[in-house]
Amino acid sequence: MLVGIDLGTTNSAVALWQDGAPQLVPNALGKMLTPSAVSLAKGGQTWVGEAALDRMATHPADTVTSFKRMIGTASTVTLAGTTLTPEDLSAMVLRSLADDVEAATGERPTEAVITVPAYFNERQRRATRRAGEIAGLEVRRLINEPTAAALAFGLADKGDREPFLVFDLGGGTFDVSIVEMFEGIVEVRASAGDNRLGGDDFDAALVKLVEPMLPAEALDRLPADRRRALLTLAAERTRRALSTAEEAEFSVVVAGEPLTARVTTEGFEEAAAGLVKRLRDPVIRALRDCHIDVKSLSDIVLVGGATRMPVVRKALTRMFGRFPNATVHPDHAVALGAAIQAGLLSGGEGLEEIRITDVAPFTLGVDTATRDVHGRFHEGIFAPIIERNSPVPISRMERFSTLADNQRQVTFAIYQGEAREVKKNVKLGELTVPVPPKPAGEVAIDVRFTYDTSGLLDIDVTVPATGTTRNLAIVDEDDRRTQKDIAESRKRLEKLKVHPRDEAENVALIARAERAYEGFTGAAREVIGQALTDFTGALEKQDPRIIAAAREGLTRLLDEIDAHSPL
Ligand code: ADP
Ligand code: MG
């Protein structure tokens, strides 16, 4: 079975093409979004999703979120003594989504379309593909998130339209794409973004704003990582509250003592002004790259949970001189689009007329030397071969020649980026080809770059004089060990004891009760504590009926407490 997956920085979702429409699959808690969070305990106990996020406040050192920001780098995280790569962590989320599909349909998915930010580079794309493979999913295609959102938007409102802009602000990444649909072809005209900007940054800005308003002595009692985790979680809650109210209370409980601060929309807007300003640049770049005038955009389509913030909507209204379009579900559009792409790949009914064309998000090229008018050589100059926002798939060739007399070989260093000096761009790999010794400039070397629909790069270097060719299908140096690595990662993850899917609900409930316990003192605290003890006792009985009854009882108690909350 082929599924569509939005593997987000903050939240992930999975959807299927079913009965002629894309459909989201709920997780064990009945939710369509699964937080991209992983938590481990000593002995290899593992939590993924909501349950992991719940452990963030109590076990920040053993819990990780936003690991998508590390994907494609060599960074690792160690949770409760186990070292994991960003691919491993992503694979754990993917596996949990696959479990949900299996629970819903009775069939284990084996293939997936996974979405990535349009602005993801080569390394990040390859790492995402590896994560899928570690999770036991063959990744049929990677598609850009805004493209997926555009598919969901375009399909909801079939027919030809003027170019529209997809504005996707998630938890950790920001993506802008300009898309056109014409006679069943979805064409991404340009993409730009900032993969270091999202809701997380607004949380950080809010923490910075409120921290000085809270009593320092109380906060100082917390270890640094717990302090940051508590403040960040509270900031996110406050930020959400500010999406529907003019004022909200920021509150954390430290050692049973509630610390609070009032935050106004105005105060928050001021604190976030610097971030809001950063939303402009990618919009301008995308418009410029495809030579489209802002006035000819038919819609500004909002995607990503962070576009719910009024401060962002206000800024957009100002930027575009009109209200953005909020008709697609900001949290679901990307996964739904991935499922549409899955439907297209598996020949789903009603979809034969749609095709997608996408663009390369970065300029790709090689390191060269050039001679200036005075005859001096300048080294380390970037020679673009495929320019950013070229439609993919694409194949382009450039001819280069030798620099020195009797040169025996030529090495091409491959880079992506927009800077003129290669050292400011990202190096993807290297390719060396032998050449016959001749005077400088007399041996030609052809370099061909081919970029496929998943945004993966293939490079061929040919010396026409000798017919020698070299191919670098795998640009990433790390990829050489890929197959072995994937097998090893899989084994490592198998050793971890993931909670059975039906336990997710219990784990989440315990975490919720523990939070409630921490939030009270006195009699209320005692009642919650007793209820918690009773519930864990029921779990030990291992009788599903007893557990279900106890779960209902504890949920009722917590709901009642929430209903009497002063907020
Ligand atoms: P990603 O694509 O990075 O996984 P999402 O699109 O799921 O992220 O968006 C997550 C972000 O959206 C988080 O920063 C979250 O705080 C924010 N968010 C979700 N709902 C709201 C809301 N009602 N108000 C403000 N921010 C929200
Ligand atoms: Mg997203």
Side-chain angles (χ1 to χ4, degrees):
M1 189 202 316
L2 176 61
V3 294
I5 294 177
D6 170 7
L7 184 61
T9 313
T10 318
N11 294 300
S12 296
V14 58
L16 305 171
W17 183 261
Q18 215 172 32
D19 306 325
Q23 274 163 21
L24 285 153
V25 179
N27 63 20
L29 303 173
K31 301 217 176 125
M32 300 305 184
L33 297 186
T34 296
S36 306
V38 172
S39 187
L40 258 70
K42 289 252 159 5
Q45 286 286 7
T46 304
W47 294 265
V48 176
E50 200 81 44
L53 201 57
D54 279 331
R55 280 173 54 88
M56 183 54 116
T58 47
H59 299 81
D62 300 334
T63 307
V64 62
T65 58
S66 294
F67 41 82
K68 183 171 169 183
R69 282 185 161 183
M70 295 189 314
I71 206 156
T73 71
S75 331
T76 56
V77 287
T78 302
L79 306 176
T82 305
T83 299
L84 296 159
T85 64
E87 286 101 308
D88 292 338
L89 296 163
S90 305
M92 290 161 88
V93 172
L94 291 171
R95 207 164 55 179
S96 137
L97 297 174
D99 289 345
D100 294 333
V101 173
E102 189 176 358
T105 65
E107 199 186 328
R108 182 91 192 160
T110 49
E111 301 176 316
V113 171
I114 301 181
T115 61
V116 289
Y119 224 59
F120 249 23
N121 67 34
E122 186 74 14
R123 275 178 193 279
Q124 292 165 312
R125 282 167 200 266
R126 286 188 186 276
T128 303
R129 190 173 274 257
R130 274 202 296 272
E133 283 164 23
I134 294 168
L137 292 167
E138 187 200 328
V139 181
R140 287 281 299 276
R141 179 142 332 158
L142 298 173
I143 68 168
N144 292 336
E145 285 162 12
T147 309
L151 270 180
F153 177 66
L155 211 69
D157 185 4
K158 261 203 190 123
D160 295 344
R161 47 172 62 247
E162 309 271 273
F164 55 94
L165 186 142
V166 178
F167 185 99
D168 182 351
L169 188 65
T173 50
F174 171 43
D175 260 295
V176 176
S177 287
I178 294 166
V179 186
E180 222 167 44
M181 297 192 50
F182 183 70
E183 291 178 349
I185 298 173
V186 182
E187 185 181 6
V188 178
R189 298 283 307 274
S191 286
D194 185 338
N195 56 17
R196 297 254 165 239
L197 182 60
D200 293 354
D201 301 284
F202 288 80
D203 291 340
L206 190 54
V207 168
K208 222 167 137 199
L209 173 72
V210 297
E211 222 173 356
M213 305 180 195
L214 303 170
E217 326 78 72
L219 285 178
D220 287 345
R221 262 182 270 149
L222 292 168
D225 59 348
R226 268 208 77 182
R227 173 184 177 139
R228 190 160 21 87
L230 271 180
L231 291 175
T232 304
L233 289 169
E236 212 247 352
R237 280 195 299 272
T238 310
R239 203 163 51 72
R240 281 173 187 262
L242 282 173
S243 292
T244 48
E246 281 296 309
E247 257 187 50
E249 180 159 287
F250 179 98
S251 93
V252 282
V253 179
V254 176
E257 185 193 339
L259 315 177
T260 60
R262 287 215 75 77
V263 181
T264 60
T265 295
E266 245 175 18
F268 177 55
E269 282 182 4
E270 217 166 278
L275 297 171
V276 168
K277 228 186 249 149
R278 283 169 59 193
L279 298 170
R280 270 188 97 81
D281 262 8
V283 172
I284 292 169
R285 215 177 325 136
L287 285 167
R288 201 181 276 147
D289 279 0
C290 62
H291 312 287
I292 283 178
D293 187 78
V294 64
K295 284 195 221 73
S296 53
L297 293 174
S298 64
D299 272 298
I300 314 300
V301 181
L302 297 183
V303 181
T307 58
R308 290 217 181 80
M309 283 188 283
V311 54
V312 170
R313 295 200 174 181
K314 239 193 257 175
L316 284 174
T317 306
R318 263 200 313 269
M319 204 185 311
F320 294 105
R322 75 188 100 160
F323 291 109
N325 181 318
T327 51
V328 292
H329 193 303
D331 296 325
H332 299 170
V334 173
L336 291 173
I340 294 170
Q341 172 67 83
L344 286 166
L345 285 173
S346 50
E349 47 180 310
L351 278 174
E352 46 286 319
E353 305 134 51
I354 301 169
R355 275 190 296 141
I356 304 170
T357 64
D358 220 322
V359 288
F362 289 98
T363 301
L364 296 157
V366 294
D367 180 7
T368 56
T370 25
R371 203 191 290 269
D372 66 20
V373 287
H374 313 290
R376 210 165 59 86
F377 269 118
H378 295 256
E379 290 192 350
I381 302 298
F382 187 48
I385 295 183
I386 293 178
E387 297 220 87
R388 72 159 187 258
N389 288 324
S390 306
V392 294
I394 185 173
S395 190
R396 281 264 157 80
M397 199 184 75
E398 284 286 330
R399 176 160 285 191
F400 296 90
S401 54
T402 47
L403 271 176
D405 291 337
N406 297 321
Q407 195 170 335
R408 293 303 182 102
Q409 59 178 40
V410 179
T411 297
F412 289 96
I414 293 122
Y415 286 87
Q416 70 172 21
E418 312 306 325
R420 198 177 81 92
E421 290 177 79
V422 291
K423 65 168 191 265
K424 292 185 184 153
N425 294 326
V426 177
K427 185 169 174 180
L428 298 176
E430 240 177 46
L431 196 57
T432 300
V433 62
V435 291
K438 291 252 172 78
E442 281 196 8
V443 186
I445 308 111
D446 290 337
V447 178
R448 177 177 287 282
F449 275 31
T450 306
Y451 211 32
D452 75 7
T453 44
S454 290
L456 300 175
L457 185 63
D458 198 49
I459 295 158
D460 290 292
V461 174
T462 309
V463 183
T466 58
T468 311
T469 64
R470 287 287 182 273
N471 173 273
L472 193 60
I474 300 157
V475 175
D476 196 332
E477 293 291 305
D478 304 341
D479 261 18
R480 287 188 208 290
R481 310 180 317 259
T482 292
Q483 285 312 319
K484 200 169 127 256
D485 262 8
I486 287 172
E488 275 170 14
S489 297
R490 231 183 245 175
K491 243 190 249 139
R492 192 166 56 230
L493 295 196
E494 270 162 17
K495 277 205 223 103
L496 300 175
K497 297 173 215 107
V498 179
H499 286 271
R501 186 179 177 280
D502 52 4
E503 265 182 36
E505 219 178 322
N506 301 337
V507 173
L509 189 59
I510 290 174
R512 184 180 164 201
E514 280 172 350
R515 262 201 319 273
Y517 181 90
E518 287 181 21
F520 284 90
T521 51
R525 172 171 251 197
E526 245 168 67
V527 172
I528 299 165
Q530 187 58 50
L532 198 48
T533 311
D534 294 346
F535 182 61
T536 43
L539 289 181
E540 275 158 24
K541 288 238 169 356
Q542 300 192 357
D543 178 331
R545 260 170 313 176
I546 295 178
I547 294 173
R551 191 161 56 212
E552 207 178 296
L554 181 55
T555 307
R556 213 178 311 120
L557 173 72
L558 295 172
D559 284 350
E560 222 164 89
I561 290 170
D562 281 350
H564 288 92
S565 145
L567 273 184

